[in-house]
Amino acid sequence: MTDVVANLEHRILLRTATSKDALMASAVLKRAQFDSHTCSDMDELKRELDRGAGAIMLAEEAIADASIAQLTEILSAQPAWSDVPLLVLARRGADSLAIAHVMDEFANVTVIERPMRVAALVSTVRSALRARRRQYEIRSLLDGLREADQRKTEFLATLAHELRNPLAPLSTALSLLERKKPAAAEAQKYYKLMGRQVEHMVRLVNDLMEVSRITRGKIELQWSSVLLDAVINDAIELSRPLVEGAGHTLSVELPEQALVVKGDSVRLTQVFSNLLNNAAKYTPPGGSVRVLARQEGRDAVVEVIDNGVGLAPEMLESIFEMFVQVSGTSKAAQGGLGIGLTLVKSMVELHGGSIEAMSEGLGRGARFTVRLPLMRNGAAKSAREPVARGGDEASTIEGTVLVVDDNRDAADSLAELLQSLGAHPLVAYSGEEALRLSAQHTINAAVLDIGMPGMDGCDLARHLRALPGGGKLNLIALTGWGQRGDQERIGAAGFDHHLLKPLDVAELMSLL
């Protein structure tokens, strides 16, 4: 909102009996540092109220039956948030019919009897303007809610679109496998296609979960000394397929002196990978992407620059907000929810840094500048430790594994996978059925879904632990619930491990 509009919205609109009264009232208000505007008639009052006003001050003499009808029409046309204060300067003595009519007709009315003390008038006007400011706050809140609702609507539409994209080739590949029944060698291309699409859906869901954790303050950073050029190189490797796939030229300029920051190397890699992915997506094929790093004072500064579609001036601030989509660029950037920059900003701020977007306009590229505080002393530790795996997909599993899930397709496909890996699987579609099987067979491990109707996975885990030999049973929760509260509930139920859907086969292998 500009200063001009703000001034209009805090002025007093005057409708007095005579021009002399108007001059006197304006002078009094001016000495008290209030802005005012004198209206010659009700038509002008309406026009000026539409432009903005903090309160209306009317002399009793200016109120006639026709004027009240006009005033009623004027005030009834206000938006829902608005109830402009009405100050009526009444003549001394008994209440007139006009005053009584005004008080009956309007709710937000203050009657001031003349002659009045200047202090009383000033106090009344201040109270009216204070109430009016509260109305403006409500207006801003409603505008924000409407804008957020619109953003969420657009975001959900984008989410539906992005989830349908990988589902289409998945469905097609399944139909081809079913109809053609290809040989193993030919089927491999369909399996790889399906794997890529599943990975894409996993990334979408993970982005949603990341935003949820950040906005609720549930994310935890693994702090250490981090060598920034190692983080940047890791991010480049993650983003290289997207950059090279679009035929972009990637240039990197790192300082000779190492830049060491305190932070979480995995999260910082995520920050710069997201920025590089963003640059690649929003740059037409054959463009250029540059990464520059340097020291400025006590900060490390990293810039990701592209010559792509650019940003409109009004988007430079809002682009980091949740649910904001850059208009007109959806075709240029396939395969995302538009929440990557929200994640980036949140991650950078968690590290005590800041991020700024700059662009000379649409079609003129963009520059994202990240600033992170440098560590004063200390050498950087390894940027990323490899995740230890107890096995791989070529290994075999021995023993009997109970698989329990009310989703029959999920249970049957996991059992078939375990069988292909050498295990002897048993399948149950409910907690009660699982207990019957466990009474009939010796079970070495159990993979349990949590969100089952009736007896859920946590209740089932407690029952299995209570059985003879249940203390040695390897209990694994496989679920879509991954928040800290869920993890604590699952641990309290007696599970040894907690895996998130979709299944990471190598991780399951290492646990079994």
Side-chain angles (χ1 to χ4, degrees), residues 356-494:
E356 181 183 14
M358 290 169 281
S359 176
E360 295 182 4
L362 293 175
R364 306 188 68 178
R367 178 193 301 259
F368 288 86
T369 304
V370 175
R371 294 179 179 273
L372 295 167
L374 286 166
M375 291 188 67
R376 294 185 179 179
N377 298 299
K381 298 180 181 178
S382 173
R384 182 178 296 175
E385 295 296 332
V387 179
R389 295 294 190 187
D392 55 52
E393 294 186 30
S395 304
T396 59
I397 301 172
E398 296 180 358
T400 301
V401 182
L402 174 64
V403 177
V404 188
D405 197 322
D406 62 306
N407 184 323
R408 289 175 176 265
D409 287 341
D412 292 343
S413 59
L414 178 55
E416 189 172 347
L417 174 64
L418 291 171
Q419 188 173 28
S420 72
L421 296 171
H424 174 58
L426 298 172
V427 181
Y429 307 117
S430 68
E432 292 77 8
E433 186 180 359
L435 290 177
R436 286 196 296 271
L437 286 174
S438 63
Q440 299 167 3
H441 302 270
T442 301
I443 298 171
N444 305 106
V447 182
L448 312 181
D449 179 42
I450 298 300
M452 296 185 293
M455 184 188 299
D456 68 7
C458 290
D459 290 335
L460 175 58
R462 294 187 186 95
H463 284 294
L464 292 174
R465 283 286 187 224
L467 294 175
K472 298 180 180 179
L473 189 61
N474 186 5
L475 286 183
I476 300 171
L478 179 60
T479 178
W481 301 100
Q483 303 305 307
R484 175 178 290 182
D486 304 317
Q487 295 171 2
E488 293 172 352
R489 184 169 68 92
I490 288 168

Side-chain angles (χ1 to χ4, degrees), residues 55-119:
I56 297 173
M57 185 179 293
L58 294 175
E60 180 182 349
E61 293 86 349
I63 303 174
D65 290 341
S67 299
I68 291 178
Q70 275 187 286
L71 189 61
T72 301
E73 182 181 350
I74 292 169
L75 298 183
S76 298
Q78 296 180 92
W81 59 267
S82 179
D83 185 17
V84 63
L86 185 59
L87 311 178
V88 180
L89 305 179
R91 289 173 294 192
R92 189 171 188 177
D95 289 343
S96 66
L97 290 176
I99 294 294
H101 196 169
V102 168
M103 294 183 67
D104 288 340
E105 189 70 28
F106 308 110
N108 195 4
V109 178
T110 301
V111 178
I112 309 170
E113 187 176 275
R114 297 173 298 183
M116 74 202 80
R117 294 171 61 95
V118 171

